[in-house]
Amino acid sequence: MSKIGIYPGTFDPITNGHIDVIRRSLQIVKKLIVAVSNDHSKDYLFSSEERVKIIKNSLFKDLKFKKNRIKVLSFNTLTTSLCSKYRATIIFRGLRAVSDFEYEFKMTGMNFQLNPSIETIFLMSSDNNSFISSNLVKEVH
């Protein structure tokens, strides 16, 4: 059975840390869905359509990732619902610091309550990407 994973996030904008998580996730699953959150309650720098386009350009044109292994899409549902729709059994989450863990731990618990057949895998960011966040990139911009 080939594993399908989902890497959800806002990616506003995508960072080298996100790319690092994508690259490492592909070592674990056959297919990865990069799911761009379109939660209308948040204020984004880029629209979901722009973020999807930026990610596709970064992954496929600039970095030459294989299109048959990655699908990039926007979503505005629960992540567990998206997992069910695409038969994904793994949710990938990137962690930069211990401070990220508390929020992610709560989300993982809720996702488990919604669908216990979905595992969450936390990937620590590489040292050279651990202090870069989308918010920091936006502030510098």
Side-chain angles (χ1 to χ4, degrees):
M1 180 175 164
S2 62
K3 294 271 185 201
I4 300 170
I6 289 187
Y7 179 31
T10 56
F11 306 103
D12 188 38
I14 192 166
T15 66
N16 288 338
H18 294 131
I19 304 270
D20 183 48
V21 170
I22 291 167
R23 181 175 281 117
R24 292 164 56 212
S25 297
L26 288 169
Q27 296 174 7
I28 299 169
V29 294
K30 184 77 172 171
K31 178 122 181 144
L32 181 67
I33 298 165
V34 178
V36 178
S37 175
N38 191 19
D39 180 357
H40 296 292
S41 67
K42 289 190 176 185
D43 192 25
Y44 297 109
L45 180 62
F46 298 103
S47 70
S48 62
E49 294 83 11
E50 290 171 317
R51 288 179 278 143
V52 166
K53 185 176 180 180
I54 290 167
I55 294 167
K56 285 181 176 180
N57 284 337
S58 296
L59 295 178
F60 305 131
K61 288 184 180 177
D62 298 337
L63 299 170
K64 309 294 186 214
F65 278 83
K66 295 180 181 178
K67 289 183 180 181
N68 65 332
R69 298 209 45 216
I70 302 171
K71 181 177 186 67
V72 182
L73 52 82
S74 67
F75 76 108
N76 60 2
T77 63
L78 293 172
T79 303
T80 53
S81 298
L82 194 65
C83 287
S84 296
K85 180 177 180 179
Y86 289 97
R87 293 187 223 146
T89 57
I90 299 171
I91 297 171
F92 288 100
R93 299 299 296 162
L95 297 175
R96 291 184 309 266
V98 174
S99 57
D100 291 341
F101 184 75
E102 185 175 351
Y103 170 79
E104 296 295 345
F105 183 75
K106 290 177 186 176
M107 290 298 297
T108 299
M110 180 56 68
N111 288 338
F112 184 80
Q113 292 298 316
L114 294 170
N115 189 337
S117 66
I118 299 170
E119 290 292 339
T120 298
I121 295 178
F122 297 111
L123 295 174
M124 295 300 300
S125 61
S126 301
D127 289 343
N128 57 336
N129 296 312
S130 62
F131 295 100
I132 301 170
S133 68
S134 293
N135 287 334
L136 185 60
V137 171
K138 285 188 275 193
E139 283 183 37
V140 170
H141 175 71

